């Protein structure tokens, strides 16, 4: 017998087709290759030889590639902790990252022209360089962090529409921080992690409350197994190894060396702190995989804002230790408490990105306020452009860093609340489905019949036999 043709959701088809057509038109009318990609007359006049351009590209591309691995493999596999949602985790992660990379380049370029940053106007085309691709990955990372709060509850079309809206606000927030406040956030503690986490939390709250999950008796599906935890740990290891590249991708010269060293030290100390706190705080007296998968990475998040600023190695170790401990505390105590108030955070982005990101923002403000007129033998203006030639004091720079953090929180939360409500009116895939089907791959993916038939009893058996299988908190 031939397989019955399932009617396609025309709304979803229209959304995806329109998005890519618009991308093609916008890239064709607003973008062009940067000077690094062509030996133009202007580049030649600037003494940019082929060798110099090759060196510039090779200095950025390896870190870009590391960042790319983090986005597609690290984030993708970290999301596979849900035992019945692995295909959707990796698949939707790839879909979102690919679209948001394109959209971020366009939106950030647009806002830079609105604020006339670096002298750009709307008469200037957006320059496509390897550095702009890194910026595209940063925007994609913010959306994937938001995805972590909503994973299992929202469909692909809903997530894409939310992501497009989020990137529009992401670009606005980043431009305000850089242009209006003169804030420096090298590793994206504020612009990426705080923004993505609190936007996602607000969107999750307005889209589907924790009470709804409880009422539909589907929270038990939001759990892991030994196999899904192992796959998620692969994502953790990729993120852990390449995080120094993420923080240092856009740094240059001696600053890049400081960023890499400080990130390695911070993320290493957060790893040891996460193991210690997991053992101490879990009632079982054993390590919890959800802690190890996430809190071990918190040091990379928290050190981002100050990664090129801290004076010695020991502050990086302190920041990482506090971040790893804070993240475990979030998983053990904070996240379960927030669910009582209607906030369901599937992946625990508050604990991995939100609270460590806030710590990073505060650390960055304190470090900025304590920075003298010279850093590491260079004028402080090389690190804080707004302080060049004595334009502002260290304390004022610190207050501007703090103002940027609060602005990021305000835009993210307000935008997330509106975006989550807006998602309710976006067509899902399939057109009609039961809410009891959330957290299941079969809602969106073709699954072999033998897998579908055996999945339920196999999962029931594993739940009894596998002592590591536990709900995600």
């Amino acid at each position: 017998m031939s397989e019955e043709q399932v009617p396609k959701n025309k709304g979803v088809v229209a959304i995806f087709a329109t998005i890519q057509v618009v991308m093609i038109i916008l890239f064709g009318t607003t973008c062009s290759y940067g000077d690094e990609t062509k030996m133009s007359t202007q580049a030649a006049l600037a003494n940019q030889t082929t060798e110099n351009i090759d060196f510039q590209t090779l200095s950025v591309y390896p870190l870009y590639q590391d960042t790319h691995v983090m986005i597609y493999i690290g984030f993708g596999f970290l999301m596979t902790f849900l035992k019945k949602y692995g295909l959707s985790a990796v698949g939707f992660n790839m879909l979102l990252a690919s679209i948001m990379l394109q959209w971020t380049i366009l939106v950030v370029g647009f806002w830079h022209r609105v604020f006339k940053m670096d002298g750009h106007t709307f008469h200037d085309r957006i320059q496509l360089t390897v550095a702009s691709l890194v910026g595209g990955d940063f925007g994609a990372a913010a959306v994937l962090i938001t995805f972590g709060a909503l994973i299992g509850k929202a469909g692909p079309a809903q997530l894409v529409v939310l992501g497009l809206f989020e990137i529009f606000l992401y670009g606005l927030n980043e431009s305000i921080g850089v242009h209006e406040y003169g804030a420096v956030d090298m590793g994206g503690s504020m612009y990426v992690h705080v923004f993505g986490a609190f936007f996602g939390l607000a969107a999750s709250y307005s889209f589907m409350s924790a009470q709804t999950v409880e009422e539909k008796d589907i929270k038990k599906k939001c759990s892991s197994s030994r196999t899904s935890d192992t796959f998620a740990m692969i994502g953790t290891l990729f993120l852990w190894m390449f995080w120094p590249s993420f923080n240092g991708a856009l740094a240059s010269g001696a600053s890049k060396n400081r960023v890499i060293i400080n990130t390695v030290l911070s993320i290493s100390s957060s790893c040891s702190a996460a193991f210690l706190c997991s053992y101490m705080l879990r009632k079982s007296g054993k390590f919890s995989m959800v802690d190890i998968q996430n809190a071990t990475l918190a040091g990379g998040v928290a050190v981002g804002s100050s990664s090129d600023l801290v004076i010695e190695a020991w502050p990086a170790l302190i920041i990482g230790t506090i971040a790893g401990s804070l993240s475990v505390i979030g998983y053990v105590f904070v996240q379960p408490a927030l669910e009582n108030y209607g906030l369901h955070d599937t992946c625990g982005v508050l604990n991995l990105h939100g609270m460590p990101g806030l710590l990073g923002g505060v650390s960055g403000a304190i470090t900025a306020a304590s920075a003298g007129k010279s850093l590491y033998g260079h004028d402080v203006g090389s690190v804080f452009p707004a302080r060049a030639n004595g334009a502002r004091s260290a304390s004022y720079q610190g207050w501007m860093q703090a103002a940027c953090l609060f602005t990021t929180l305000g835009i993210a939360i307000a935008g997330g609340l509106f975006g989550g409500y807006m998602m309710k009116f976006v067509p899902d895939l399939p057109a009609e489905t039961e809410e009891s089907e959330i957290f299941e791959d079969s809602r969106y993916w073709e699954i072999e019949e033998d897998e579908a038939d055996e999945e339920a009893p196999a999962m029931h058996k594993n739940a009894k036999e596998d002592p590591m299988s536990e709900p995600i908190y």
Side-chain angles (χ1 to χ4, degrees):
M1 295 179 63
S2 60
E3 185 177 354
E4 182 180 353
Q5 180 71 26
V6 176
K8 304 302 187 293
N9 189 316
K10 295 180 180 179
V12 172
V13 173
I15 288 173
F16 283 108
T18 301
I19 287 172
Q20 201 55 54
V21 169
V22 170
M23 293 286 189
I24 293 171
I25 294 173
L26 290 177
F27 269 91
T29 57
T30 66
C31 299
S32 66
Y33 291 132
D35 290 338
E36 299 95 319
T37 64
K38 57 189 178 182
M39 282 301 296
S40 65
T41 302
Q42 181 181 359
L45 291 174
N47 295 321
Q48 293 291 328
T49 65
T50 302
E51 290 76 13
N52 288 337
I53 293 174
D54 287 344
F55 177 77
Q56 292 171 12
T57 301
L58 291 175
S59 68
V60 177
Y61 184 77
L63 299 184
Y64 160 71
Q65 188 65 8
D66 292 350
T67 303
H68 222 45
V69 169
M70 287 180 65
I71 297 300
Y72 287 90
I73 298 180
F75 276 101
F77 277 90
L78 181 63
M79 305 288 189
T80 60
F81 68 93
L82 293 173
K83 61 187 178 183
K84 302 179 74 174
Y85 209 71
L87 299 180
S88 300
V90 176
F92 296 163
N93 183 93
M94 184 177 187
L95 172 67
L96 284 171
S98 298
I99 294 176
M100 297 311 147
L101 184 152
Q102 302 170 64
W103 186 235
T104 299
I105 293 173
L106 295 170
V107 170
V108 170
F110 166 79
W111 283 116
H112 282 192
R113 279 146 186 78
V114 170
F115 286 87
K116 297 182 179 180
M117 294 171 63
D118 300 322
H120 291 305
T121 68
F122 284 104
H123 296 291
D124 302 321
R125 284 178 169 251
I126 298 170
Q127 300 293 294
L128 299 177
T129 64
V130 177
S132 68
L133 298 181
V134 174
D137 271 348
F138 280 9
V143 172
L144 294 179
I145 292 168
T146 295
F147 176 42
L150 291 160
I151 187 170
K153 297 174 286 190
Q158 294 169 322
L159 291 168
V160 168
V161 171
L162 180 68
L164 295 175
F165 175 65
E166 178 178 0
I167 290 299
F168 188 78
L169 296 182
Y170 165 90
L172 171 63
N173 179 69
E174 186 250 10
S175 296
I176 291 174
V178 173
H179 186 268
E180 300 298 321
Y181 296 136
V184 175
D185 187 22
M186 179 61 67
S189 295
M190 297 183 290
Y191 297 145
V192 176
H193 299 287
V194 169
F195 187 89
F198 284 93
F199 187 98
L201 291 168
S204 178
Y205 181 80
S206 60
F207 179 69
M208 182 179 292
S209 67
Q211 284 83 355
T212 301
V213 176
E214 293 284 357
E215 291 169 3
K216 299 298 180 181
D217 193 30
I218 48 184
K219 185 177 179 181
K220 59 185 178 183
K221 296 182 182 179
C222 185
S223 60
S224 64
S225 67
R226 186 191 299 269
T227 300
S228 65
D229 272 335
T230 301
F231 274 101
M233 196 64 193
I234 294 173
T236 298
L237 292 173
F238 271 96
L239 290 169
W240 198 90
M241 290 188 297
F242 291 124
W243 212 291
S245 296
F246 183 91
N247 283 355
L250 296 179
S252 60
S255 176
K256 181 175 294 185
N257 291 323
R258 294 196 300 272
V259 171
I260 292 173
I261 292 170
N262 290 327
T263 302
V264 169
L265 292 175
S266 182
I267 202 169
S268 297
S269 62
S270 70
C271 180
S272 57
F275 273 91
L276 174 62
C277 290
S278 182
Y279 173 73
M280 292 179 61
L281 298 180
R282 291 292 178 178
K283 294 180 179 179
S284 63
K286 299 178 182 179
F287 302 120
S288 169
M289 279 304 297
V290 68
D291 298 336
I292 306 309
Q293 288 162 0
N294 295 278
T296 53
L297 304 170
V301 175
V303 81
S305 285
S306 55
S307 56
D308 63 333
L309 306 176
V310 290
I311 307 304
E312 298 292 345
W314 60 269
L317 292 169
I318 291 176
I319 290 172
T321 301
I322 295 174
S325 305
L326 190 64
S327 183
V328 175
I329 291 172
Y331 278 104
V332 176
F333 300 112
V334 179
Q335 189 168 344
L338 290 178
E339 289 186 1
N340 295 329
Y341 293 94
L343 179 57
H344 186 264
D345 179 7
T346 308
C347 200
V349 299
L350 174 66
N351 315 310
L352 171 55
H353 302 279
M355 293 191 294
L358 291 173
L359 173 63
V362 172
S363 301
I366 294 173
T367 306
S370 61
K373 294 183 178 180
S374 63
L375 291 172
Y376 315 103
H378 298 282
D379 183 81
V380 71
S382 64
V383 178
F384 295 104
R387 288 192 61 189
N389 301 318
R392 63 169 58 165
S393 65
S395 60
Y396 188 76
Q397 180 67 44
W399 283 114
M400 289 298 98
Q401 295 283 140
C404 180
L405 177 61
F406 284 108
T407 300
T408 298
L409 280 170
I411 294 176
I413 293 173
L417 289 172
F418 177 77
Y421 178 77
M422 176 183 66
M423 269 204 306
K424 297 179 180 181
F425 303 97
V426 178
D428 194 8
L429 178 70
E432 296 181 1
T433 185
E434 296 292 333
E435 281 191 326
S436 60
E437 294 179 11
I438 67 174
F439 300 114
E440 289 194 34
D441 280 329
S442 57
R443 184 178 183 180
Y444 304 108
W445 299 87
E446 293 182 353
I447 297 179
E448 297 298 329
E449 291 185 6
D450 57 341
E451 292 184 39
D453 293 340
E454 297 174 5
E455 188 178 40
M459 289 297 178
H460 180 69
K461 179 181 179 181
N462 288 339
K464 291 183 177 181
E465 297 179 355
D466 187 358
M468 296 181 67
S469 179
E470 60 174 310
I472 298 296
Y473 293 113

